[in-house]
Amino acid sequence: MPKSVDHGERRRHIAAALLRVVERDGMEAVSVRTVAAEAGCSVGAIQRYFTSKDEMLRFALAEVVEASGERLRNVPLTTDGRRFPEALREVILSVLPLDPVRRGEALVWAAFHAQAAARPDFAAAVAEVTREARGLLLEALRLAEEAGRLRPGQDHEALAQLVLAVMDGLMWAILVDPGGVREAHLGAVDATVALLCAEEGKR
């Protein structure tokens, strides 16, 4: 009998190859041919699973969005409002390109994010991750305020947007800095946490 082929697994294998091309060579290097070479298969094999380069890109972006969403759902921000300062710092650091693995993820995300400025389908996918992150932060801010770890009288919506901007801004700053991660980048993380958080026990 012919060997059964898991079509979903094959599509994910091709998407992973596409993401490696983006990480290594940039979005402009993506083509059916380059992805086929990276995946170790023929152009015809790629075309059996994806009808176009755009379809392949959209599927790969969906994989990135799902992975980002899963990581967000596993962060410790909503577990204990008293730990909010430590957890907030951990969450910000988790998206920064501080090691080869996270740098690769950041390069891929940055490439798709840049495309979102001109492509509504990409923009919608990026917005999905942003909404999930904002919702997580809002719940964490509420718990932190109840636990007395948030400076009183602050606008939670504005704070969540500020944290997201800090995360995005620092990611880009590190990616484009020839010197890589600098003390100033890590200092900005600590400064953000200090601005938002009250001393333990103070309301």
Side-chain angles (χ1 to χ4, degrees), residues 77-172:
L77 269 175
T78 58
T79 58
D80 185 350
R82 292 169 298 179
R83 282 198 65 245
F84 180 70
E86 298 87 352
L88 178 60
R89 186 176 192 277
E90 183 179 336
V91 167
I92 297 174
L93 290 175
S94 73
V95 304
L96 300 186
L98 303 181
D99 57 41
V101 171
R102 280 180 287 178
R103 181 173 178 80
E105 291 176 350
L107 285 168
V108 167
W109 183 249
F112 278 113
H113 204 284
Q115 292 289 314
R119 293 191 52 160
D121 52 343
F122 281 26
V126 170
E128 180 183 335
V129 176
T130 302
R131 280 193 300 271
E132 188 159 3
R134 184 183 292 109
L136 174 70
L137 285 167
L138 287 172
E139 176 64 11
L141 289 165
R142 182 186 67 78
L143 292 173
E145 187 168 67
E146 290 177 358
R149 299 310 312 273
L150 189 69
R151 296 186 186 279
Q154 299 193 80
D155 181 336
H156 290 190
E157 287 280 355
L159 290 182
Q161 190 60 49
L162 174 63
V163 173
L164 291 172
V166 168
M167 292 165 72
D168 280 346
L170 284 174
M171 181 195 75
W172 282 100

Side-chain angles (χ1 to χ4, degrees), residues 27-97:
M27 186 71 75
E28 63 280 2
V30 173
S31 70
V32 173
R33 189 173 300 280
T34 59
V35 173
E38 183 69 28
C41 62
S42 68
V43 169
I46 297 286
Q47 292 170 335
R48 281 197 293 274
Y49 297 102
F50 297 100
T51 59
S52 67
K53 171 184 168 180
D54 266 8
E55 183 186 350
M56 190 167 54
L57 282 168
R58 285 193 296 271
F59 183 83
L61 176 57
E63 292 286 288
V64 172
V65 168
E66 176 56 32
S68 297
E70 184 64 24
R71 188 160 52 244
L72 286 170
R73 290 187 286 272
N74 288 328
V75 297
L77 269 175
T78 58
T79 58
D80 185 350
R82 292 169 298 179
R83 282 198 65 245
F84 180 70
E86 298 87 352
L88 178 60
R89 186 176 192 277
E90 183 179 336
V91 167
I92 297 174
L93 290 175
S94 73
V95 304
L96 300 186

